Amino acid sequence: MATVKTQAHCLLAGAAAAAVCAWPWAQSSLAADFVHHTALAATIGGLADWWGVTALFKRPMGINAPGTDVLRNNYERLTTGLADFVSNDLLTAENVMQAVADENFAKLLLAHFAQQQNVERLWQTVRPLAEHALQSLNTSQAEQLLLQELPKYIASLRIPEILVDALQKAVANGSFNGLWQLLAQDAKQILHKAEFTALLEGLAQMAEEEYNKDSLLRNLFVSGQAAKLVPLFVQELEKTLDALADPASELRRQLDNWLLARMEDYRHDIAFADWLNGKLSQMATAKALAFKELLQTQDVDILLQLLQNRLQLLANSEVEQGKLDHALKELLLQVLTMQHDTVYDLVLQKLQSYDKNDLIAKMELRVGDDLQNIRKSGTCIGGLLGAVLFVIATLAERLVS
């Protein structure tokens, strides 16, 4: 800036010197008069621009005229306006999210933790917290809290009603068709197993003996016929199973209606709801306490292994990476929205932390060369306009005379 500023000073001084030197001969020589008026206009233009440029940052020659020392006199308005621009126009949540839209936060996270030293650095920070958390666990208090609060929480979820609704919709939509078909297929295979056939024959033989027990005449006509009934019984069972697997059969319609009716009964069955909620509470409590006991008996470094396993699973799944990226961006958007006013306060606080004179000096240093070039341009343009006006005035004078 010093070089450009020196050039501007020299140009202005040269114009002023030329105007002064040409003045004594201006009345007797047209060329001297031209140089005098051109240099004088350049000097006036240069001085005007020098005043304007200097007045931005200080008082020219110490003169406290209106419009001087602009930045210092308007410093508070300047800083608040700049903070408002940064927070409300530049660093808005929408602008930030648009800028990071093409970034995949999950991949960036994986790339960071792909370096083992970053994982170890994170673990060094988290490990003391994890140790403190595990050591502070109290089994009896946790168990008492779980036993008191879990039943209330599970009851508030209305799981029995939700379960009944889901099962009713499944029955009504035919979602159980595959299950009935699978059951029918497996049952048919059981019907033809030797063990099941032997069981049926034994039951038939017992029934025959019971039937013939009190009558010799029955024994005469029925004896030995039981074994022939087994294939017929199996055949009828197969027909029943086929009807069970067929959604359009009367048996399936009756069975579905029966299930829907029973489920509707369960919807209003308080004993069933209490039983199901109790079972779920017991299972959840047992799992929670078992996990807590496991953590207390394990070394805290097991959490590091769990973290590394989770990172590996994330690296192998594009779907999970997409979910994590979406979740992180949603979190960032929420934070930016919530902290909108904080951005304004931070920028304003940072600007106000600078010394006023130092900040203005930095601003002058950044734009000083451009401002000094304005002075140079003003001197040159002033001289050019002075020359043009002199030529026009001279020609007009000659034409009139």
Side-chain angles (χ1 to χ4, degrees), residues 24 103 131 133 175 184 189 196 234 264 273 277 287 296 329 374:
E103 295 290 346
E131 287 180 339
S175 302
Q189 294 178 358
F196 187 74
V234 171
E264 191 62 32
N277 288 333
K287 291 291 184 181
Q296 285 188 315
K329 286 179 178 176
I374 291 177

Short mmCIF file of all heavy atoms in Angstrom, two decimals, residues 24 103 131 133 175 184 189 196 234 264 273 277 287 296 329 374:
data_model
loop_
_atom_site.label_atom_id
_atom_site.label_comp_id
_atom_site.label_asym_id
_atom_site.label_seq_id
_atom_site.Cartn_x
_atom_site.Cartn_y
_atom_site.Cartn_z
N PRO A 24 2.58 31.74 -14.10
CA PRO A 24 3.13 33.05 -14.52
C PRO A 24 3.03 33.29 -16.01
O PRO A 24 2.93 34.44 -16.47
CB PRO A 24 4.59 33.00 -14.06
CG PRO A 24 4.58 32.00 -12.94
CD PRO A 24 3.57 30.98 -13.35
N GLU A 103 -22.16 -33.32 0.73
CA GLU A 103 -21.23 -34.05 1.59
C GLU A 103 -21.94 -35.22 2.26
O GLU A 103 -23.11 -35.13 2.63
CB GLU A 103 -20.66 -33.12 2.68
CG GLU A 103 -19.78 -32.00 2.14
CD GLU A 103 -18.45 -32.51 1.60
OE1 GLU A 103 -18.10 -33.68 1.88
OE2 GLU A 103 -17.77 -31.74 0.91
N GLU A 131 -15.68 -45.42 32.65
CA GLU A 131 -15.30 -46.07 33.91
C GLU A 131 -16.10 -45.48 35.07
O GLU A 131 -16.57 -46.22 35.94
CB GLU A 131 -13.80 -45.88 34.14
CG GLU A 131 -12.93 -46.74 33.23
CD GLU A 131 -11.46 -46.51 33.51
OE1 GLU A 131 -11.13 -45.45 34.09
OE2 GLU A 131 -10.65 -47.38 33.15
N ALA A 133 -19.01 -44.04 34.94
CA ALA A 133 -20.41 -44.42 34.82
C ALA A 133 -20.64 -45.85 35.30
O ALA A 133 -21.60 -46.15 36.02
CB ALA A 133 -20.87 -44.27 33.37
N SER A 175 -52.86 -61.85 5.73
CA SER A 175 -51.42 -61.96 5.96
C SER A 175 -51.02 -63.30 6.57
O SER A 175 -49.84 -63.67 6.57
CB SER A 175 -50.96 -60.82 6.88
OG SER A 175 -51.27 -59.57 6.31
N ALA A 184 -50.22 -76.39 7.31
CA ALA A 184 -50.89 -77.51 6.63
C ALA A 184 -49.87 -78.43 5.97
O ALA A 184 -49.99 -79.67 6.04
CB ALA A 184 -51.87 -76.97 5.60
N GLN A 189 -47.03 -83.80 6.31
CA GLN A 189 -45.84 -84.64 6.42
C GLN A 189 -45.88 -85.49 7.69
O GLN A 189 -45.48 -86.66 7.68
CB GLN A 189 -44.59 -83.76 6.42
CG GLN A 189 -44.35 -83.03 5.10
CD GLN A 189 -43.13 -82.13 5.15
OE1 GLN A 189 -42.49 -82.01 6.19
NE2 GLN A 189 -42.82 -81.48 4.04
N PHE A 196 -46.57 -91.59 13.53
CA PHE A 196 -47.95 -91.12 13.66
C PHE A 196 -48.93 -92.22 13.25
O PHE A 196 -49.98 -92.40 13.87
CB PHE A 196 -48.16 -89.87 12.79
CG PHE A 196 -49.50 -89.22 12.98
CD1 PHE A 196 -49.80 -88.49 14.11
CD2 PHE A 196 -50.49 -89.38 12.01
CE1 PHE A 196 -51.04 -87.91 14.28
CE2 PHE A 196 -51.74 -88.80 12.18
CZ PHE A 196 -52.01 -88.07 13.32
N VAL A 234 -56.74 -90.54 7.98
CA VAL A 234 -55.66 -89.71 7.44
C VAL A 234 -56.15 -88.92 6.24
O VAL A 234 -55.85 -87.73 6.06
CB VAL A 234 -54.44 -90.58 7.08
CG1 VAL A 234 -53.40 -89.75 6.31
CG2 VAL A 234 -53.81 -91.17 8.33
N GLU A 264 -61.13 -59.56 19.62
CA GLU A 264 -61.95 -58.46 20.10
C GLU A 264 -62.26 -58.63 21.58
O GLU A 264 -62.32 -57.65 22.34
CB GLU A 264 -63.25 -58.39 19.28
CG GLU A 264 -64.06 -57.14 19.51
CD GLU A 264 -63.31 -55.88 19.12
OE1 GLU A 264 -62.49 -55.94 18.16
OE2 GLU A 264 -63.50 -54.85 19.79
N ALA A 273 -54.57 -57.94 29.44
CA ALA A 273 -53.67 -56.78 29.34
C ALA A 273 -52.68 -56.76 30.50
O ALA A 273 -51.48 -56.52 30.31
CB ALA A 273 -54.48 -55.49 29.31
N ASN A 277 -48.68 -57.11 29.95
CA ASN A 277 -47.82 -56.03 30.44
C ASN A 277 -46.85 -56.54 31.50
O ASN A 277 -45.69 -56.12 31.54
CB ASN A 277 -48.66 -54.90 31.00
CG ASN A 277 -49.37 -54.11 29.92
OD1 ASN A 277 -48.91 -54.05 28.79
ND2 ASN A 277 -50.51 -53.51 30.26
N LYS A 287 -33.62 -58.22 31.12
CA LYS A 287 -32.61 -57.89 30.12
C LYS A 287 -31.77 -56.70 30.57
O LYS A 287 -30.54 -56.70 30.42
CB LYS A 287 -33.30 -57.58 28.79
CG LYS A 287 -33.94 -58.77 28.10
CD LYS A 287 -32.88 -59.74 27.60
CE LYS A 287 -33.52 -60.88 26.82
NZ LYS A 287 -32.51 -61.85 26.34
N GLN A 296 -20.73 -54.47 34.47
CA GLN A 296 -19.96 -54.34 35.70
C GLN A 296 -18.90 -55.43 35.84
O GLN A 296 -17.89 -55.23 36.49
CB GLN A 296 -20.90 -54.39 36.92
CG GLN A 296 -21.69 -53.10 37.10
CD GLN A 296 -22.44 -53.09 38.41
OE1 GLN A 296 -23.08 -54.08 38.77
NE2 GLN A 296 -22.41 -51.98 39.12
N LYS A 329 -27.35 -34.76 9.43
CA LYS A 329 -27.76 -33.50 8.79
C LYS A 329 -29.01 -32.93 9.45
O LYS A 329 -29.14 -31.71 9.59
CB LYS A 329 -27.99 -33.73 7.30
CG LYS A 329 -26.70 -33.90 6.51
CD LYS A 329 -26.94 -34.13 5.03
CE LYS A 329 -25.60 -34.26 4.30
NZ LYS A 329 -25.78 -34.57 2.87
N ILE A 374 -7.95 5.06 -6.42
CA ILE A 374 -9.02 6.02 -6.66
C ILE A 374 -8.45 7.44 -6.69
O ILE A 374 -8.82 8.27 -7.53
CB ILE A 374 -10.11 5.88 -5.57
CG1 ILE A 374 -10.87 4.55 -5.73
CG2 ILE A 374 -11.09 7.05 -5.64
CD1 ILE A 374 -11.89 4.30 -4.66
#
